[in-house]
Amino acid sequence: MTRERPVGARKRLTALDWADAALAAMAEGGGLAAVAVEPLAARLGTTKGSFYWHFTGRDALVAAALERWEEVHTERIIQAVEREPDPETRLRSLFRTVMGEAVDDPLEVSLLADAGHPGVAGVLRRVTDRRIGYVARLFEELGFPPAAAARRGLMAYTTYLGHTQLVHAVPDALPADPAYLDSVLDALLRP
């Protein structure tokens, strides 16, 4: 039996609620500069006291938000595509997923713009290494030697980053035809 909250009762916020709100603010514009306690508290319908219940300060919130971004936008995506046994199908699924998300989510672009921030730089390095390493492993599973697989993993990742930047900066520069992404992958898969 579930208990309903009394009318007017607030939902108890978690640190993840705050981290998600910080990520949403970063994505909407302003990057790290958009992470400010009072506006986030207003967005969440709470007070600064809730923030200080979960975090010692803004830097702790930024760190939690970046950790959340890494989990949701890297680890969960990898886990989802890993369910597919065929490495080429996994690679194509991964590409379609991340390219599709890039259209709707400017967060990656915002984080890249803040790459000079020490907290962001470390997470970007770790995420970049993880993503390239994962894609390189897929190319190895497809039979490419390790050095060639690593190069192709890097090419695939730089393609993703370029696509992500263009889709937000100059969206009409990219073809709307989904076959375009397939042709990019076909080129990367050619021995």
Side-chain angles (χ1 to χ4, degrees):
M1 179 172 175
T2 58
R3 289 184 170 183
E4 291 189 26
R5 287 192 308 251
V7 175
R10 289 186 185 164
K11 172 190 168 217
R12 185 169 293 214
L13 295 175
T14 66
L16 283 181
D17 293 325
W18 280 94
D20 287 340
L23 288 174
M26 283 186 237
E28 289 166 6
L32 285 181
V35 179
V37 177
E38 286 188 35
L40 290 176
R43 169 185 224 137
L44 291 167
T46 192
T47 65
K48 290 191 311 185
S50 170
F51 168 80
Y52 288 108
W53 178 260
H54 297 290
F55 300 101
T56 56
R58 180 182 178 274
D59 288 343
L61 172 59
V62 168
L66 293 172
E67 185 177 301
R68 178 82 167 146
W69 171 73
E70 181 177 8
E71 174 197 338
V72 171
H73 293 271
T74 300
E75 296 307 324
R76 284 192 188 171
I77 291 171
I78 289 172
Q79 288 171 2
V81 298
E82 273 297 301
R83 293 183 193 121
E84 168 58 49
D86 178 62
E88 183 175 338
T89 304
R90 257 184 282 154
L91 182 62
R92 288 184 184 280
S93 175
L94 175 66
F95 225 65
R96 276 190 299 276
T97 299
V98 297
M99 296 300 200
E101 286 184 3
V103 171
D104 298 324
D105 188 0
L107 182 57
E108 189 104 15
V109 174
S110 293
L111 290 173
L112 290 169
D114 285 323
H117 183 278
V120 174
V123 172
L124 282 175
R125 171 88 263 162
R126 191 170 58 245
V127 164
T128 298
D129 291 345
R130 172 72 166 124
R131 290 173 175 179
I132 292 170
Y134 178 71
V135 174
R137 191 188 93 212
L138 291 177
F139 280 111
E140 280 190 63
E141 288 179 31
L142 288 166
F144 289 92
R151 271 192 312 278
R152 286 169 194 271
L154 179 59
M155 286 190 297
Y157 192 62
T158 57
T159 298
Y160 160 72
L161 288 178
H163 180 89
T164 301
Q165 290 279 355
L166 272 177
V167 80
H168 294 285
V170 190
D172 60 340
L174 291 168
D177 181 6
Y180 166 73
L181 290 178
D182 287 332
S183 68
V184 170
L185 275 172
D186 291 342
L188 287 168
L189 288 165
R190 254 184 246 127

